[in-house]
Amino acid sequence: MATDRVPDRTPRPDDPVRLRTPGQPSALPDWMLNPPPARRTLGVRIGEGVAALPGVGALRRRWWAWQGRQRLRERYPNTIKVIAMLFSFAASLALVVLIYALYGNT
C-alpha cells in the first residue's frame, strides 16, 4: 500500500519476469564489450602439463578425500577431551617428578 497516492509497484506473483533493456546503446568500446580470451600464463601451462600425466587424477582425488575426511576430534569430541586431560595430567606429573628427582639428588 502506497501512502503518497502512487500505485503500488511491487510485482505480482503472476507477472512474468522481464529483463530491463537499456534505452540507449552502450558507450563502451568493442574490446570491452567483447574482450579477447585470457592469456595462458606459465603457471596455467605447467598445471595443464602436470594434469596430463598418468595417475595425477587419481592422486588428486585421493588428496581431496584425505582433506575431506572427518577427524577423530570431530567425530568424538568428548572422548578426545578426556584423553587430552589425562595426557596433560600425566605430562605435568612427569615434569613434577623430574624436577623433584633433579633437586632431590643434591
Side-chain angles (χ1 to χ4, degrees):
M1 175 185 248
T3 58
D4 56 355
R5 299 193 188 266
V6 176
D8 193 12
R9 295 184 185 192
T10 58
R12 299 206 170 24
D14 56 344
D15 288 344
V17 177
R18 294 187 187 107
L19 297 177
R20 187 183 74 78
T21 56
Q24 298 177 2
S26 176
L28 294 175
D30 186 46
W31 64 270
M32 284 184 158
L33 293 173
N34 190 12
R39 288 181 280 177
R40 291 174 51 220
T41 61
L42 179 63
V44 170
R45 291 178 186 157
I46 291 173
E48 289 172 352
V50 169
L53 294 174
V56 172
L59 182 65
R60 184 184 305 117
R61 285 187 295 275
R62 289 189 68 192
W63 175 255
W64 289 343
W66 172 257
Q67 293 297 315
R69 74 189 190 284
Q70 192 176 20
R71 291 156 176 86
L72 282 176
R73 67 175 179 264
E74 295 168 353
R75 281 190 283 173
Y76 308 108
N78 292 334
T79 305
I80 297 299
K81 289 174 188 175
V82 169
I83 291 172
M85 185 187 66
L86 293 174
F87 178 76
S88 64
F89 173 74
S92 61
L93 183 63
L95 286 174
V96 168
V97 169
L98 179 68
I99 291 172
Y100 181 74
L102 288 175
Y103 283 113
N105 287 337
T106 58

